[in-house]
């Protein structure tokens, strides 16, 4: 048994065929079949039911999945480390950070510019995805640190709470709700809504409250970033209910933002692995990120026990 055979096993389980595994791994279909046949011969039993070109995993194959995933992830880390060493980007000069897409495209470039002024020889790899994906990247050691909404789904992280912000409603300037100073829960009734992915706890909480208030609503568009939600709202496609902190980075004449009431507070933080404390350069990166958020955010945000508004940012 070797690691290539395990990679093939994992790819076949994920795709359901040797064709799919071939595409995933970038090797020929015949090589995929050969690796699978050799693996089954070595372990002494069949892993899949062959059915008209499909490969249906047997229970024995599914039982191997957790161990296979762990081993292949270790191999991937070794390959990444070898590539870093080959590129001269190992040790303290390399920092991997994971952020939601909306932050990656808004304030992260400014943070990186300041960071490189302090560490000219540094190399930074930026990764992006939903909060759950960011957690997975940190857990798999693909990222040294990640920005997430708290509490995390996995409680095995070192968590540094850094920011709190409320929820806002985003709409086109001509929308009826734009005439209000703030948007109440009942105001969302009978409006087309633009909501973040259904896997997010904040989405579940909002829809539960709407049902309890007997406020009929319709999720017209489901998006997976605040940036996309604001863009859809600007196009007049509905009302987006999103975190005010991140939405403020996309403020423009094409949208209106109104506080959502009752207030819904979200807390955000930086996570890392408990057995891998952040390096000094990584800590500096986090501090630069916080200062950039304060300088760019609209409305009130909280850092620890202190509150900040845009007009006070210059004193930071």
């Amino acid at each position: 048994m070797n690691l290539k055979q395990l990679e093939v096993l994992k790819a076949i389980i994920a795709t359901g065929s040797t064709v799919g595994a071939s595409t995933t791994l970038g090797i020929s279909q015949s090589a995929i079949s050969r690796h699978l046949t050799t693996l089954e011969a070595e372990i002494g039993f069949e892993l899949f039911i062959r059915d008209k070109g499909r490969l249906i995993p047997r229970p024995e194959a599914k039982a191997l999945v957790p161990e296979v995933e762990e081993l292949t992830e270790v191999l991937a880390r070794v390959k990444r480390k070898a590539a870093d060493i080959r590129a001269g980007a190992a040790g303290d000069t390399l920092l991997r950070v994971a952020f939601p897409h909306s932050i990656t495209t808004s304030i992260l470039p400014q943070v990186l510019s300041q960071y490189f002024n302090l560490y000219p020889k540094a190399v930074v790899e930026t990764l992006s995805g939903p909060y759950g994906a960011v957690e997975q990247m940190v857990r798999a050691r693909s990222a040294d640190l990640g920005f997430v909404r708290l509490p995390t789904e996995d409680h095995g992280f070192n968590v540094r709470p850094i920011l709190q912000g409320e929820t806002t409603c985003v709409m086109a300037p001509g929308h009826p709700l734009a005439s209000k100073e703030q948007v109440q829960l009942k105001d969302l009734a009978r409006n087309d809504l633009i909501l973040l992915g259904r896997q997010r706890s904040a989405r579940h909480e909002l829809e539960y409250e709407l049902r309890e208030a007997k406020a009929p609503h319709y999720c017209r568009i489901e998006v997976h970033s605040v940036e996309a939600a604001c863009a859809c709202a600007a196009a007049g496609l509905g009302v987006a209910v999103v975190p005010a902190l991140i939405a403020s980075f996309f403020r423009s004449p094409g949208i209106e933002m109104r506080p959502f009431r009752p207030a819904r507070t979200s807390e955000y933080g930086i996570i890392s692995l408990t057995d891998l404390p952040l390096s000094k350069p990584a800590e500096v990166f986090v501090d630069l990120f916080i200062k950039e958020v304060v300088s760019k955010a609209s409305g009130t945000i909280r850092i620890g026990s202190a509150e900040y508004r845009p007009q006070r940012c210059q004193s930071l």
Side-chain angles (χ1 to χ4, degrees):
M1 186 183 299
N2 57 55
L3 288 170
K4 176 56 71 175
Q5 292 169 345
L6 298 182
E7 287 183 322
V8 166
L9 173 60
K10 180 180 176 182
I12 294 175
I13 291 175
T15 63
S17 70
T18 55
V19 174
S22 173
T23 301
T24 299
L25 297 179
I27 59 179
S28 68
Q29 185 179 355
S30 61
I32 294 290
S33 299
R34 185 170 60 253
H35 282 302
L36 176 59
T37 300
T38 303
L39 175 61
E40 290 180 323
E42 290 181 1
I43 62 178
F45 53 83
E46 287 190 343
L47 295 167
F48 296 90
I49 299 172
R50 276 74 170 173
D51 180 29
K52 298 178 182 178
R54 293 186 305 143
L55 293 175
I56 304 172
R58 292 181 181 274
E60 293 84 354
K62 294 181 179 179
L64 292 174
V65 168
E67 284 72 18
V68 169
E69 289 184 340
E70 183 176 347
L71 282 171
T72 53
E73 180 53 42
V74 170
L75 175 62
R77 289 204 301 269
V78 173
K79 288 181 177 178
R80 288 195 297 267
K81 178 61 72 174
D84 294 338
I85 294 172
R86 186 167 57 250
D92 290 341
T93 62
L94 175 65
L95 177 64
R96 293 188 175 96
V97 297
F99 285 86
H101 176 77
S102 296
I103 290 181
T104 302
T105 59
S106 56
I107 67 171
L108 194 56
Q110 289 75 28
V111 177
L112 290 173
S113 178
Q114 298 170 44
Y115 182 74
F116 289 137
N117 285 337
L118 298 174
Y119 298 96
K121 296 183 178 180
V123 176
V124 178
E125 180 179 357
T126 64
L127 306 167
S128 64
Y131 295 127
V134 169
E135 287 190 33
Q136 293 175 11
M137 293 174 196
V138 175
R139 188 185 304 111
R141 302 189 184 187
S142 299
D144 302 308
L145 62 89
F147 179 85
V148 297
R149 185 186 180 201
L150 301 178
T152 57
E153 296 178 8
D154 186 328
H155 299 294
F157 295 113
N158 178 35
V159 179
R160 178 180 172 183
I162 57 172
L163 298 165
Q164 287 184 331
E166 295 185 347
T167 299
T168 189
C169 292
V170 182
M171 66 219 69
H175 194 281
L177 294 185
S179 62
K180 295 179 173 289
E181 292 186 5
Q182 58 187 31
V183 176
Q184 302 284 340
L185 182 68
K186 59 181 176 56
D187 295 329
L188 296 179
R190 297 182 178 83
N191 274 287
D192 291 338
L193 301 185
I194 303 165
L195 301 179
L196 296 174
R198 69 193 73 183
Q199 73 276 18
R200 304 189 186 208
S201 58
R203 162 82 175 270
H204 296 161
E205 293 165 7
L206 174 62
E207 292 190 317
Y208 174 80
E209 291 174 7
L210 286 166
R211 288 193 298 269
E212 287 293 297
K214 294 183 172 53
H217 63 284
Y218 175 56
C219 177
R220 188 179 193 188
I221 305 175
E222 178 175 303
V223 296
H224 297 277
S225 74
V226 176
E227 181 179 15
C230 291
C232 290
L237 300 176
V239 180
V241 185
V242 292
L245 171 67
I246 300 176
S248 66
F249 303 145
F250 304 102
R251 184 175 292 279
S252 74
I255 57 175
E256 296 285 346
M257 297 184 183
R258 298 292 181 267
F260 181 65
R261 294 293 182 266
R264 302 163 57 87
T265 301
S266 296
E267 186 173 18
Y268 306 90
I270 295 292
I271 61 171
S272 59
L273 291 178
T274 54
D275 60 341
L276 290 175
L278 293 181
S279 64
K280 176 61 177 177
E283 291 285 1
V284 170
F285 181 92
V286 173
D287 291 339
L288 292 173
F289 171 73
I290 294 173
K291 290 181 180 180
E292 188 66 22
V293 168
V294 171
S295 70
K296 293 291 192 296
S298 300
T300 301
I301 62 173
R302 285 178 289 280
I303 300 178
S305 59
E307 285 193 351
Y308 296 91
R309 290 179 179 273
Q311 62 266 28
R312 295 176 55 189
C313 293
Q314 298 303 318
S315 63
L316 218 71

